[in-house]
Amino acid sequence: MSDRTKLMAGKTVLVTGGTGGIGRATAEGLARLGARVAVTGRDITRTRAAAAEIAASTANPAVDAFAADLSALAGVRRLAREVLGAYPRLDVVVNNVGGFWARRHVTDDGLEYTLALNHLAPFLLTNLLLGRLTASAPARIVTVSSGAQALGKINFGDLQGERAYSGQRAYNQSKLANVMFTYELARRLAGTGVTATAAHPGVTRTAFGAEDPTAMMRAMTLIARPFMKTPAQGAATVVYLASSPEVEGVTGRYFANRKPKRSSKSSYDTAAAAQLWQASARLTGLPATV
Ligand SMILES: NC(=O)c1ccc[n+]([C@@H]2O[C@H](COP(=O)([O-])OP(=O)(O)OC[C@H]3O[C@@H](n4cnc5c(N)ncnc54)[C@H](OP(=O)(O)O)[C@@H]3O)[C@@H](O)[C@H]2O)c1
């Protein structure tokens, strides 16, 4: 296929966390389809090296690197400013960055780390980029959730695990929040030509949870590692949602293995999704009406 006939030729895509794991494989998949791809990571040297490797392995030189610690609201805002400054149009945003922490950590903003990185960062980043996405419509927002959403519960009384923290509960809640955010976003974006979908990548061999795993996770990972998906397999549904004509116009849906799937019952609670949106807007300093 020549460069001009590739599916994503002429499209610009932002993938958060393109330095490793599912994000990197997503960036590779989309670069291979001809997109200009922006990848992010906390360390600019490492991120530039990853961008260069993706460019070389896909024979697509249009891979750009941005440094951003997305656990910090200021980091999210800076990334949004830089992306808006760099790209006059933005066709796809893939909210991929996320992780698991066994113990409760707090960000520089005083927010619980899992909620901040897994949910508030994509919430804020997407909202800050919405104007550009809408102006570039048709455009897509893909948020990487997890099958863990099915076990999630949004604890509005203790959203940040201040009274009682469990890494698994915080993770499940954040991945349910990814889905509820996606559904609420799709409702708010109806008629704009910008779609919002969420993906479960499947259990994938990455550095997931490595910063602060539980003993159980460490043991399970050792045993299950050979049977896990490769990063490219984990990224397949994300790449599909970001690029395939089959899902053009499809919005407000959750996908696994490139197929729409019902998410947890509570993810369809529209009142809870609106309440979560308002709480997220308050915590990130956005007006609730955005
Ligand atoms: N792996 C699985 O089995 C699995 C299953 C279901 C869902 N998921 C979801 O898939 C997504 C990607 O997970 P993964 O397994 O690919 O994880 P990973 O291998 O740990 O990759 C994480 C990526 O996020 C970046 N990152 C981490 N902390 C960051 C921060 N504070 N600010 C900015 N970037 C940060 C890392 O970049 P730097 O280290 O270079 O900063 C790296 O590029 C997550 O949302 C996860 O919940 C994963």
Side-chain angles (χ1 to χ4, degrees):
M1 215 189 274
S2 83
D3 279 357
R4 271 188 309 125
T5 56
K6 283 185 175 172
L7 194 56
M8 295 296 282
K11 308 250 186 219
T12 301
V13 177
L14 169 66
V15 180
T16 65
T19 56
I22 293 162
R24 177 164 172 156
T26 299
E28 274 165 356
L30 294 169
R32 207 164 280 125
L33 292 173
R36 169 169 284 279
V37 181
V39 295
T40 78
R42 282 167 289 186
D43 179 85
I44 192 60
T45 309
R46 228 153 64 87
T47 312
R48 282 196 184 123
E53 285 161 20
I54 295 167
S57 70
T58 60
N60 177 348
V63 184
D64 306 323
F66 293 84
D69 181 348
L70 298 175
S71 71
L73 297 174
V76 177
R77 289 184 177 278
R78 192 176 322 111
L79 175 64
R81 266 198 313 275
E82 287 178 9
V83 166
L84 291 173
Y87 306 120
R89 57 174 296 121
L90 188 58
D91 301 279
V92 182
V93 171
V94 177
N95 290 310
N96 160 75
V97 164
F100 176 99
W101 289 269
R103 285 160 301 165
R104 189 175 187 276
H105 300 259
V106 173
T107 70
D108 291 349
D109 302 297
L111 298 166
E112 188 279 309
Y113 206 93
T114 320
L115 184 79
L117 187 66
N118 294 11
H119 168 61
L120 296 176
F123 174 85
L124 179 59
L125 183 64
T126 303
N127 273 295
L128 295 173
L129 298 175
L130 264 190
R132 187 63 46 88
L133 285 160
T134 308
S136 311
R140 304 180 185 192
I141 299 154
V142 182
T143 300
V144 182
S145 175
S146 163
Q149 55 80 26
L151 305 169
K153 184 175 173 300
I154 307 292
N155 186 352
F156 285 108
D158 190 20
L159 212 45
Q160 301 190 58
E162 285 163 292
R163 264 179 265 134
Y165 181 85
S166 126
Q168 194 62 59
R169 255 202 323 265
Y171 183 71
N172 297 346
Q173 172 179 262
S174 73
K175 293 290 126 179
L176 173 60
N178 289 157
V179 178
M180 291 170 78
F181 163 59
T182 295
Y183 293 170
E184 178 67 17
L185 189 59
R187 285 189 280 275
R188 289 171 179 244
L189 290 173
T192 63
V194 183
T195 61
T197 52
H200 169 47
V203 180
T204 306
R205 208 177 305 134
T206 66
F208 179 78
E211 281 180 18
D212 180 17
T214 59
M216 167 80 110
M217 260 177 90
R218 223 182 266 128
M220 294 279 287
T221 304
L222 267 180
I223 298 163
R225 213 167 162 78
F227 309 104
M228 291 179 178
K229 287 185 174 181
T230 64
Q233 289 167 337
T237 300
V238 186
V239 172
Y240 172 76
L241 291 174
S243 63
S244 175
E246 286 178 27
V247 282
E248 183 73 58
V250 173
T251 192
R253 303 294 300 270
Y254 171 73
F255 282 73
N257 293 321
R258 293 195 267 187
K259 299 255 176 338
K261 194 175 171 184
R262 258 195 93 70
S263 49
S264 77
K265 192 163 174 243
S266 54
S267 67
Y268 297 101
D269 181 336
T270 53
Q275 188 181 351
L276 177 64
W277 187 284
Q278 274 170 16
S280 308
R282 200 170 52 246
L283 289 169
T284 55
L286 280 183
T289 49
V290 288

